Amino acid sequence: MTESTAQRARAEVSPNNACPIAPVVDIVFSRWTTPILWALNEYGRQRFVELERRIATITPKVLTQRLRQLERDGLVLRTYHPEVPPRVEYEISELGRSLAPLFAALAAWSPNLGTVEEARRAYDARQGAGGHSA
Amino acid sequence: MTESTAQRARAEVSPNNACPIAPVVDIVFSRWTTPILWALNEYGRQRFVELERRIATITPKVLTQRLRQLERDGLVLRTYHPEVPPRVEYEISELGRSLAPLFAALAAWSPNLGTVEEARRAYDARQGAGGHSA
DNA sequence: ACCAGTAGGTACCTAGAGGAAAGTAATGGG
DNA sequence: CCCATTACTTTCCTCTAGGTACCTACTGGT
């Protein structure tokens, strides 16, 4: 019940008011999902610890939460091997792979990051110096 | 100083470890920025209250914060008219407009939302019913 | 008997984002 | 004189995502 409450909370705050892309953003670009999907898409099927080590700054709890969410959304496939030390493998699903052009568009825009940094420096210089009038 | 702290915090938690698109996501898809950019892109130059009414569920404080952030990142242009009741107009910048293909890719993926909903129902049915073994 | 290792689960706690509501400056209108 | 309007700002408060730390089951190795 806790999870569904969280899901509903996320859904409630998303202001889909005539903004048709907000739900997609909620699903695909919620926190941590980008590096997870990217790692699965880039390095193929992996185990829990591999993902954990690759992302490095994520905690196992949150990684589990996000993987469950992605599995529920059908973007990730989970395979559980009931072996002696349990082994679980995660891979990106067909639906998840359909996000590839989206990620490509993201990557295509990334050269503009320099422009953003420049804009930030300019803005901070305007505000930071004695520039802002009373 | 509070704002820059928040910016740095966001930057710290983003695990850009070999995930080149994470910074773009941080800038473009941080909370509330999607509906704001979409509204500005869709309905053109607008005043503060127009945006506020259009998004409806956003509070003025957060709208101001997000607009400042977007202005600092160079995605939005702010024009202040020092009139008797102050008037401010916001419009999307050239850099912001360069996000259009990204948004188009988002919109192109949105038909898959049905598949996501279906996957969620299937997952919930699996877990919700007596299906999960002890 | 004890530890290692996997894939988490759970309880507790903190930090910080976001909401609610009131304040602010300036001025025209009743 | 008081109110309304605009575009915020500020204060206070809540809420929850995420972090820390510890726990689980299972078996093989020593």
Side-chain angles (χ1 to χ4, degrees):
Chain A
M1 212 182 276
T2 311
E3 300 171 26
S4 54
T5 303
Q7 297 287 345
R8 242 174 285 124
R10 277 203 71 80
E12 277 166 11
V13 297
S14 65
N16 310 352
N17 306 7
C19 178
I21 60 180
V24 180
V25 173
D26 266 9
I27 290 172
V28 180
F29 298 118
S30 68
R31 185 115 59 171
W32 292 112
T33 54
T34 312
I36 292 173
L37 286 174
W38 191 85
L40 287 176
N41 189 60
E42 199 73 7
Y43 300 103
R45 184 185 317 172
Q46 301 168 62
R47 307 181 55 176
F48 188 87
V49 280
E50 292 183 77
L51 280 171
E52 193 179 352
R53 279 195 272 265
R54 218 182 285 282
I55 302 180
T57 53
I58 199 170
T59 62
K61 181 187 126 183
V62 177
L63 180 55
T64 301
Q65 286 177 346
R66 290 292 94 93
L67 282 170
R68 286 287 136 79
Q69 172 191 324
L70 291 169
E71 186 196 359
R72 193 175 99 102
D73 290 348
L75 298 172
V76 160
L77 297 177
R78 191 181 105 116
T79 315
Y80 177 75
H81 306 269
E83 299 171 359
V84 179
R87 187 163 59 92
V88 180
E89 286 179 319
Y90 294 94
E91 58 184 318
I92 198 160
S93 72
E94 195 64 29
L95 184 60
R97 228 180 296 275
S98 74
L99 293 168
L102 205 46
F103 286 10
L106 264 294
W109 197 83
S110 60
N112 290 308
L113 284 173
T115 311
V116 171
E117 298 253 15
E118 194 183 334
R120 284 180 178 175
R121 273 195 297 273
Y123 183 93
D124 293 348
R126 255 175 294 163
Q127 305 298 322
H132 66 84
S133 58
Chain B
M1 215 180 272
T2 312
E3 300 172 29
S4 53
T5 304
Q7 297 286 346
R8 242 174 287 125
R10 277 203 70 80
E12 277 167 14
V13 295
S14 65
N16 310 353
N17 305 6
C19 178
I21 60 180
V24 180
V25 173
D26 266 9
I27 290 170
V28 179
F29 297 119
S30 67
R31 186 114 64 173
W32 294 113
T33 52
T34 312
I36 292 173
L37 286 174
W38 191 85
L40 287 175
N41 190 58
E42 198 73 7
Y43 300 103
R45 185 184 316 175
Q46 302 168 62
R47 308 181 54 175
F48 187 87
V49 279
E50 293 183 77
L51 280 171
E52 193 178 354
R53 279 194 272 265
R54 216 181 286 280
I55 302 181
T57 52
I58 198 171
T59 60
K61 181 186 121 181
V62 177
L63 181 55
T64 302
Q65 286 177 346
R66 291 291 92 96
L67 283 170
R68 286 286 140 77
Q69 172 191 325
L70 290 170
E71 187 197 358
R72 192 175 99 104
D73 290 347
L75 298 172
V76 159
L77 297 177
R78 192 180 103 117
T79 317
Y80 177 75
H81 305 269
E83 300 170 0
V84 179
R87 188 163 59 91
V88 180
E89 285 180 319
Y90 294 94
E91 59 184 318
I92 200 161
S93 71
E94 193 65 29
L95 183 60
R97 226 180 298 273
S98 74
L99 292 168
L102 205 46
F103 286 9
L106 264 293
W109 197 84
S110 58
N112 290 307
L113 284 173
T115 310
V116 171
E117 299 253 15
E118 194 183 333
R120 285 180 178 175
R121 274 195 297 273
Y123 184 93
D124 292 349
R126 253 174 296 165
Q127 305 297 322
H132 65 83
S133 60

